Amino acid sequence: MVHATEEMADFTPICSALTINIGTLSASWFASMTEAAMSANTHNIPWILDPVAHFITDYRRDAAQTLLALKPAIVRGNASEILALAGQAASGKGADSQDSVTAAHGAAKALAAQFGTVVAITGPTDYLTDGTQEAQVAGGSSLMPKVTALGCSQTALMGAYGAIGPAFDAALAALAHFKVAGASAAKLAKGPGSFQVQFLDALAATQPSDLLKVIR
């Protein structure tokens, strides 16, 4: 949540991981993002990129490509975002995907191979690849897309996992954690509002053994 350029040189090196989310983009914030990413690379700190709706404007598209060139450890996006990031045709609208996860598998592999990163596509069945190995994670709840910024929260959780483990394993664990918590929360929720509260509790209650139930 730090976005002042003046703080990046001091703040980034003390972090165990960094997440960069371009959802709210401005010239000053983008300068901070690039400085933070470069500092993270210098100090061998893993960082995660969330290219939110980067295909909407040229400015946003250029910002995402600039950050991608700095080689994040993990890139997380929906299918439309990943397709567009790889230069392929996408039909997303705003921050919402209108493409299937399956349609973006090839784009994810291409991005992973070109930039040496792990690419995670989130959707009904998540897809993850580092260009060589791959994984799919099924589960969750149909209520999850109805809660604003849940995808951004997924990116933040990947940062938490990325602080303590290899990028592929970190992303996979974060995907599984969300699916388990989503399925658990849905059993008690009456709609998107109560789901959000139940989901936070379920995130905290999820145990390591629960993750293996949804990874395939």
Side-chain angles (χ1 to χ4, degrees):
M1 299 300 291
V2 175
H3 50 79
T5 306
E6 294 80 2
E7 290 191 296
M8 292 305 153
D10 295 323
F11 198 95
T12 306
I14 69 172
C15 298
S16 299
L18 167 71
T19 60
I20 294 180
N21 181 313
I22 70 167
T24 51
L25 194 61
S26 68
S28 61
W29 283 28
F30 177 59
S32 298
M33 292 173 182
T34 55
E35 184 166 331
M38 290 187 290
S39 179
N41 288 342
T42 298
H43 293 89
N44 295 314
I45 296 169
W47 66 280
I48 296 85
L49 173 63
D50 192 333
V52 179
H54 68 93
F55 48 78
I56 292 179
T57 65
D58 289 342
Y59 176 69
R60 185 172 288 268
R61 185 181 302 110
D62 291 344
Q65 290 296 330
T66 297
L67 291 167
L68 180 62
L70 294 175
K71 297 187 175 182
I74 302 170
V75 177
R76 190 217 67 84
N78 61 41
S80 295
E81 288 165 344
I82 298 302
L83 280 166
L85 201 62
Q88 300 182 25
S91 56
K93 184 177 182 180
D96 296 324
S97 177
Q98 295 184 343
D99 296 287
S100 70
V101 172
T102 302
H105 283 190
K109 291 178 182 178
L111 287 170
Q114 181 178 355
F115 294 98
T117 187
V118 171
V119 180
I121 312 171
T122 48
T125 298
D126 302 328
Y127 177 77
L128 179 70
T129 183
D130 62 3
T132 302
Q133 56 183 338
E134 58 185 9
Q136 295 185 73
V137 186
S141 166
S142 60
L143 286 171
M144 296 176 79
K146 298 180 181 180
V147 178
T148 301
L150 210 63
C152 298
S153 301
Q154 172 80 89
T155 302
L157 186 61
M158 286 187 180
Y161 274 105
I164 60 171
F168 187 89
D169 294 347
L172 181 57
L175 293 173
H177 199 151
F178 251 49
K179 293 299 192 189
V180 169
S184 177
K187 295 176 182 178
L188 301 174
K190 296 180 180 180
S194 57
F195 177 85
Q196 184 176 21
V197 175
Q198 295 294 340
F199 181 72
L200 289 174
D201 287 344
L203 277 178
T206 299
Q207 299 300 307
S209 59
D210 296 329
L211 306 188
L212 298 177
K213 299 175 184 178
V214 298
I215 298 173
R216 63 177 178 85

